[in-house]
Coordinates of all heavy atoms in Angstrom, one line a residue:
L20 N -19.0 20.9 70.3 CA -17.8 20.6 69.4 C -16.7 19.8 70.1 O -16.0 19.1 69.5 CB -17.2 21.9 68.9 CG -18.0 22.8 67.9 CD1 -17.1 23.9 67.4 CD2 -18.5 21.9 66.8
D21 N -16.7 19.9 71.4 CA -15.7 19.1 72.2 C -16.0 17.6 72.1 O -15.1 16.8 72.0 CB -15.6 19.6 73.6 CG -17.0 19.5 74.4 OD1 -18.0 19.6 73.7 OD2 -17.0 19.2 75.6
A24 N -14.8 16.7 68.6 CA -13.3 16.7 68.6 C -12.8 15.4 69.3 O -11.8 14.8 68.8 CB -12.8 17.9 69.2
I48 N -19.2 17.2 60.3 CA -18.2 18.1 60.9 C -16.8 17.5 60.9 O -16.7 16.4 61.1 CB -18.7 18.4 62.4 CG1 -17.8 19.5 63.0 CG2 -18.7 17.2 63.2 CD1 -18.5 20.5 63.9
T49 N -15.9 18.4 60.5 CA -14.5 17.9 60.3 C -13.6 18.5 61.4 O -14.0 19.5 62.1 CB -13.9 18.4 59.0 OG1 -13.8 19.8 59.0 CG2 -14.8 17.9 57.8
D50 N -12.4 18.0 61.6 CA -11.5 18.5 62.6 C -11.2 20.0 62.2 O -11.0 20.8 63.1 CB -10.2 17.7 62.7 CG -9.6 17.3 61.3 OD1 -10.1 17.7 60.3 OD2 -8.6 16.6 61.4
R51 N -11.1 20.3 60.9 CA -10.9 21.7 60.5 C -12.0 22.6 60.9 O -11.8 23.7 61.3 CB -10.7 21.7 59.0 CG -10.3 23.1 58.5 CD -10.0 23.1 57.0 NE -9.4 24.3 56.5 CZ -10.1 25.4 56.2 NH1 -11.4 25.4 56.3 NH2 -9.5 26.5 55.8
D52 N -13.3 22.1 60.8 CA -14.4 22.9 61.2 C -14.4 23.3 62.7 O -14.6 24.4 63.1 CB -15.7 22.1 61.0 CG -16.1 21.9 59.5 OD1 -15.6 22.7 58.6 OD2 -16.8 20.9 59.2
V53 N -14.0 22.3 63.5 CA -13.8 22.5 64.9 C -12.8 23.6 65.2 O -13.0 24.5 65.9 CB -13.5 21.2 65.7 CG1 -13.2 21.5 67.2 CG2 -14.6 20.2 65.6
A54 N -11.6 23.4 64.6 CA -10.5 24.4 64.8 C -10.9 25.8 64.3 O -10.7 26.8 65.1 CB -9.3 23.9 64.1
M55 N -11.4 25.9 63.2 CA -11.8 27.2 62.6 C -12.9 27.9 63.4 O -12.9 29.1 63.6 CB -12.1 27.1 61.1 CG -11.0 26.6 60.3 SD -9.5 27.7 60.4 CE -10.1 29.2 59.6
A56 N -13.9 27.1 63.8 CA -15.0 27.7 64.6 C -14.5 28.2 65.9 O -14.9 29.3 66.3 CB -16.1 26.7 64.8
S57 N -13.7 27.5 66.6 CA -13.1 27.9 67.8 C -12.3 29.2 67.7 O -12.4 30.1 68.5 CB -12.2 26.8 68.4 OG -13.0 25.7 68.8
F58 N -11.5 29.2 66.6 CA -10.7 30.4 66.4 C -11.5 31.6 66.1 O -11.4 32.7 66.7 CB -9.7 30.1 65.2 CG -9.0 31.4 64.8 CD1 -7.9 31.9 65.5 CD2 -9.3 32.0 63.6 CE1 -7.3 33.0 65.1 CE2 -8.7 33.2 63.2 CZ -7.6 33.7 63.9
V59 N -12.4 31.5 65.1 CA -13.2 32.6 64.6 C -14.1 33.1 65.8 O -14.3 34.3 65.9 CB -14.1 32.2 63.4 CG1 -15.1 33.3 63.1 CG2 -13.1 32.0 62.2
E60 N -14.7 32.2 66.5 CA -15.6 32.6 67.6 C -14.9 33.0 68.8 O -15.5 33.6 69.7 CB -16.6 31.5 67.9 CG -17.6 31.1 66.8 CD -18.5 32.2 66.5 OE1 -18.9 33.0 67.4 OE2 -18.9 32.4 65.3
G61 N -13.6 32.7 68.9 CA -12.8 33.0 70.1 C -13.3 32.3 71.3 O -13.3 32.8 72.4
A62 N -13.8 31.0 71.1 CA -14.4 30.3 72.2 C -13.9 28.8 72.2 O -13.5 28.3 71.2 CB -15.9 30.2 72.1
A63 N -13.8 28.2 73.4 CA -13.4 26.9 73.5 C -14.5 26.0 72.9 O -15.7 26.3 72.9 CB -13.2 26.5 75.0
P64 N -14.1 24.8 72.3 CA -15.0 23.9 71.7 C -16.2 23.5 72.6 O -17.3 23.3 72.0 CB -14.2 22.7 71.3 CG -12.8 23.2 71.2 CD -12.7 24.3 72.2
H65 N -16.1 23.4 73.9 CA -17.2 23.0 74.7 C -18.3 24.1 74.8 O -19.4 23.8 75.3 CB -16.7 22.6 76.1 CG -16.2 23.7 77.0 ND1 -15.0 24.2 76.9 CD2 -16.9 24.4 77.9 CE1 -14.9 25.2 77.8 NE2 -16.0 25.3 78.4
R66 N -17.9 25.3 74.4 CA -18.9 26.4 74.4 C -19.7 26.5 73.0 O -20.5 27.3 72.9 CB -18.2 27.7 74.7 CG -17.6 27.7 76.1 CD -17.1 29.1 76.4 NE -16.5 29.1 77.7 CZ -17.2 29.3 78.9 NH1 -18.5 29.5 78.8 NH2 -16.5 29.3 80.0
L67 N -19.3 25.7 72.1 CA -19.9 25.8 70.7 C -20.7 24.5 70.4 O -20.4 23.4 70.9 CB -18.8 26.0 69.7 CG -17.9 27.3 69.9 CD1 -16.8 27.3 69.0 CD2 -18.8 28.5 69.7
V68 N -21.6 24.6 69.5 CA -22.6 23.5 69.2 C -22.3 23.1 67.7 O -22.1 23.9 66.8 CB -24.0 24.0 69.3 CG1 -25.0 22.9 69.0 CG2 -24.3 24.5 70.8
E71 N -24.3 24.5 64.7 CA -24.0 25.8 64.2 C -22.7 25.9 63.4 O -22.4 26.9 62.8 CB -24.0 26.8 65.4 CG -25.3 27.0 66.0 CD -25.3 27.9 67.3 OE1 -24.2 28.4 67.6 OE2 -26.3 28.0 68.0
T72 N -22.0 24.8 63.5 CA -20.6 24.7 62.9 C -20.6 23.8 61.7 O -19.8 24.0 60.8 CB -19.6 24.3 63.9 OG1 -19.7 25.2 65.1 CG2 -18.2 24.4 63.4
F156 N -17.4 32.5 53.2 CA -16.5 32.9 54.2 C -16.3 34.4 54.1 O -15.5 35.0 54.9 CB -15.2 32.2 54.2 CG -15.4 30.7 54.4 CD1 -15.5 29.8 53.4 CD2 -15.6 30.3 55.7 CE1 -15.7 28.5 53.7 CE2 -15.8 28.9 56.0 CZ -15.9 28.0 55.0
K158 N -18.1 36.9 54.9 CA -18.6 37.7 56.0 C -17.9 37.5 57.4 O -18.3 38.0 58.4 CB -20.1 37.4 56.2 CG -20.9 37.8 55.0 CD -22.4 37.5 55.1 CE -23.1 37.9 53.9 NZ -24.5 37.5 54.0
L159 N -16.9 36.7 57.4 CA -16.2 36.4 58.6 C -15.5 37.7 59.1 O -15.1 38.5 58.3 CB -15.1 35.3 58.4 CG -15.5 33.9 58.1 CD1 -14.3 33.0 57.9 CD2 -16.3 33.4 59.3
P160 N -15.4 37.8 60.4 CA -14.7 39.0 61.0 C -13.2 38.9 60.6 O -12.7 37.8 60.4 CB -14.9 38.9 62.5 CG -15.2 37.4 62.7 CD -15.9 36.9 61.5
K161 N -12.6 40.1 60.5 CA -11.2 40.1 60.2 C -10.4 39.6 61.4 O -10.8 39.7 62.5 CB -10.8 41.5 59.9 CG -11.4 42.1 58.7 CD -10.8 43.4 58.3 CE -11.5 43.8 57.0 NZ -10.7 44.7 56.2
A162 N -9.3 38.9 61.1 CA -8.5 38.3 62.1 C -7.9 39.4 63.0 O -7.6 40.5 62.5 CB -7.3 37.5 61.5
P163 N -7.8 39.2 64.3 CA -7.2 40.2 65.2 C -5.8 40.5 64.8 O -5.1 39.6 64.3 CB -7.3 39.6 66.5 CG -7.4 38.1 66.3 CD -8.1 37.9 65.0
K164 N -5.4 41.8 64.9 CA -4.0 42.1 64.6 C -3.1 41.6 65.7 O -3.4 41.7 66.9 CB -3.9 43.6 64.5 CG -4.6 44.2 63.3 CD -4.4 45.6 63.1 CE -5.1 46.0 61.8 NZ -4.8 47.4 61.5
K165 N -2.0 41.0 65.3 CA -1.1 40.4 66.2 C 0.2 41.3 66.2 O 0.5 42.0 65.2 CB -0.7 39.0 65.8 CG -1.9 38.0 65.7 CD -2.2 37.6 67.1 CE -3.3 36.5 67.0 NZ -3.8 36.0 68.2
K166 N 0.9 41.1 67.2 CA 2.2 41.8 67.3 C 3.2 41.1 66.4 O 3.1 39.8 66.3 CB 2.8 41.8 68.7 CG 1.9 42.7 69.6 CD 2.5 42.7 71.0 CE 1.6 43.5 71.9 NZ 2.1 43.5 73.3

Side-chain angles (χ1 to χ4, degrees):
L20 288 190
D21 57 331
I48 188 144
T49 67
D50 48 3
R51 184 176 190 276
D52 293 333
V53 172
M55 295 305 291
S57 294
F58 171 75
V59 170
E60 296 295 327
H65 72 276
R66 297 187 181 273
L67 301 171
V68 179
E71 295 174 4
T72 306
F156 297 100
K158 297 179 183 177
L159 288 177
K161 294 189 179 202
K164 292 187 178 186
K165 301 281 184 181
K166 295 179 180 179

